Amino acid sequence: MIESGTHTPGVSAESFGLPPNTALRYEQPDSRLTGYITDYHVLDSDVGPSGSAIEWMLPSWPAIRVILADNPIALTLGETIYDPMPEATLYGTTSKAMRVTSSGGVTIGAGITPLGWSRLFRGRADEYRDRIVPLDTMMSADITGELVSLLRTSDRALDVKDILDRFFLKHMGPPDRSEAEIRALMTLIVDDRTLDLSTAAARIGIDARRLRRLATHHFGFPPKTLLLRARFLRSFLKMLAVRDHADYSLIAATYHDASHFLRDANRFLGMTPRRFMAMKTPYLDAALRARAAVFGTATTALHNVDTERS
């Protein structure tokens, strides 16, 4: 089992509230990667009495993950089942909660922002939304092999931050010509004062046609979907923190009523909040607490490059 925690000063692994036989690390990337990489994370667990465990992941920005486990991991995303998951994977931007079945072992990941996507990959983000693909379909086999080798020979814990910092600084491509606009849209999407993304973007000089083109190409979804996902997660995470599916005072004021919120829940969770919160998700709960402790925000989907802790 790896050592839980973080290199971030003032944050203790005890605050993560991890369930038994699990470990978790969250790390802040090098300041030169701010805006491109949301976080580094390392997940570890021992095989439980049943031989496998089921957990959930919430919708998020893209991520690169390397699975260093003896037993296969299976993941369900929408109607697609990935079983077994590839050793090195790229998760596209997701709009659906994901069900993960694991039998123990280490997974090491890095969250990628839309800005990071523009620097690391040539493919359009909308071609990979709600999809998981082998990493070597987007990065060369040599670069993918380099990453896997570096992580396999590491301690899979304290070493990971420096390894991933060096890897991404080495392989980050040149800035996209639309970098300033992409960065501005990232901020608008997660700002709870943004009620209409088209109107907000127009104020900073991005017209509706260009907004849609930038959103689909670099973010993976049309503007409306991105804004709805942020609003829903902001509301649902408040409910999840207190495990009260009936406290609709916690949801955003822009929801017309509870049924409006429930429609979004079906869209982004695939079920009602009541059903999701009735499930045991101790590792997800701990991961949300841990990320909030290190970054101030529980999920990459609400990662704001202007306000995240540094």
Side-chain angles (χ1 to χ4, degrees), residues 237-255:
L237 285 171
K238 291 177 181 178
M239 279 187 161
L240 194 58
V242 297
R243 289 275 164 174
D244 189 344
H245 63 269
D247 188 354
Y248 292 109
S249 69
L250 298 173
I251 68 176
T254 49
Y255 279 112

Side-chain angles (χ1 to χ4, degrees), residues 156-228:
R156 307 181 186 188
L158 299 175
D159 294 348
V160 167
K161 172 179 160 52
D162 285 343
I163 288 171
L164 292 179
D165 278 343
R166 291 195 300 269
F167 176 82
F168 284 112
L169 288 169
K170 175 182 177 182
H171 294 293
M172 195 70 65
D176 189 274
R177 63 183 180 180
S178 303
E179 177 150 326
E181 292 172 304
I182 297 169
R183 184 183 293 272
L185 290 178
M186 286 169 54
T187 300
L188 289 176
I189 288 167
V190 299
D191 189 337
D192 60 5
R193 296 168 298 180
T194 303
L195 303 181
D196 179 83
L197 192 55
S198 296
T199 301
R203 293 195 193 106
I204 58 173
I206 303 174
D207 63 31
R209 175 181 286 184
R210 181 153 183 77
L211 169 63
R212 186 173 183 85
R213 185 163 62 246
L214 288 170
T216 54
H217 192 283
H218 297 289
F219 294 70
F221 284 96
K224 183 177 180 180
T225 301
L226 297 169
L227 200 61
L228 291 179

Side-chain angles (χ1 to χ4, degrees), residues 5-305:
T6 178
H7 287 294
T8 303
V11 179
S12 168
E14 293 181 1
S15 66
F16 299 175
L18 286 159
N21 304 312
T22 62
L24 175 65
R25 295 191 69 83
Y26 265 107
E27 303 290 4
Q28 294 189 11
D30 186 284
S31 60
R32 289 169 289 180
L33 295 167
T34 298
Y36 307 106
I37 308 296
T38 60
D39 60 59
Y40 304 139
H41 46 274
V42 187
L43 304 83
D44 192 9
S45 63
D46 282 339
V47 177
S50 65
S52 63
I54 295 173
E55 259 296 352
W56 288 80
M57 300 168 63
L58 296 177
S60 65
W61 291 129
I64 290 172
R65 294 193 174 98
V66 176
I67 297 172
L68 306 176
D70 294 331
N71 298 312
I73 291 177
L75 184 147
T76 301
L77 173 52
E79 300 297 320
T80 305
I81 299 174
Y82 300 89
D83 186 9
M85 289 281 286
E87 179 180 46
T89 60
L90 172 66
Y91 292 56
T93 304
T94 51
S95 69
K96 305 175 189 300
M98 293 161 276
R99 182 179 187 268
V100 183
T101 304
S102 170
S103 300
V106 172
T107 296
I108 300 175
I112 313 295
T113 71
L115 205 57
W117 183 283
S118 73
R119 297 282 297 268
L120 289 167
F121 309 119
R122 293 183 177 227
R124 295 174 54 94
D126 58 328
E127 294 178 355
Y128 296 89
R129 66 190 184 197
D130 285 330
R131 289 181 60 199
I132 296 172
V133 298
L135 182 58
D136 59 12
T137 63
M138 292 293 284
M139 287 182 159
S140 72
D142 287 344
I143 294 176
T144 299
E146 174 191 347
L147 177 61
V148 172
S149 177
L150 288 168
L151 294 175
R152 277 201 171 279
T153 55
S154 75
D155 69 358
R156 307 181 186 188
L158 299 175
D159 294 348
V160 167
K161 172 179 160 52
D162 285 343
I163 288 171
L164 292 179
D165 278 343
R166 291 195 300 269
F167 176 82
F168 284 112
L169 288 169
K170 175 182 177 182
H171 294 293
M172 195 70 65
D176 189 274
R177 63 183 180 180
S178 303
E179 177 150 326
E181 292 172 304
I182 297 169
R183 184 183 293 272
L185 290 178
M186 286 169 54
T187 300
L188 289 176
I189 288 167
V190 299
D191 189 337
D192 60 5
R193 296 168 298 180
T194 303
L195 303 181
D196 179 83
L197 192 55
S198 296
T199 301
R203 293 195 193 106
I204 58 173
I206 303 174
D207 63 31
R209 175 181 286 184
R210 181 153 183 77
L211 169 63
R212 186 173 183 85
R213 185 163 62 246
L214 288 170
T216 54
H217 192 283
H218 297 289
F219 294 70
F221 284 96
K224 183 177 180 180
T225 301
L226 297 169
L227 200 61
L228 291 179
R229 186 187 71 168
R231 180 181 65 176
F232 171 74
L233 288 173
R234 193 180 299 113
S235 298
F236 179 64
L237 285 171
K238 291 177 181 178
M239 279 187 161
L240 194 58
V242 297
R243 289 275 164 174
D244 189 344
H245 63 269
D247 188 354
Y248 292 109
S249 69
L250 298 173
I251 68 176
T254 49
Y255 279 112
H256 304 310
D257 50 30
S259 63
H260 186 194
F261 173 71
L262 292 173
R263 285 197 298 273
D264 274 2
N266 187 63
R267 177 176 185 171
F268 296 114
L269 296 179
M271 63 187 82
T272 64
R274 179 192 294 271
R275 181 180 167 195
F276 192 97
M277 285 186 272
M279 299 186 296
K280 293 182 179 180
T281 57
Y283 205 61
L284 169 64
D285 297 346
L288 295 173
R289 283 192 296 269
R291 194 182 193 284
V294 176
F295 295 93
T297 305
T299 173
T300 67
L302 298 176
H303 181 96
N304 188 338
V305 295

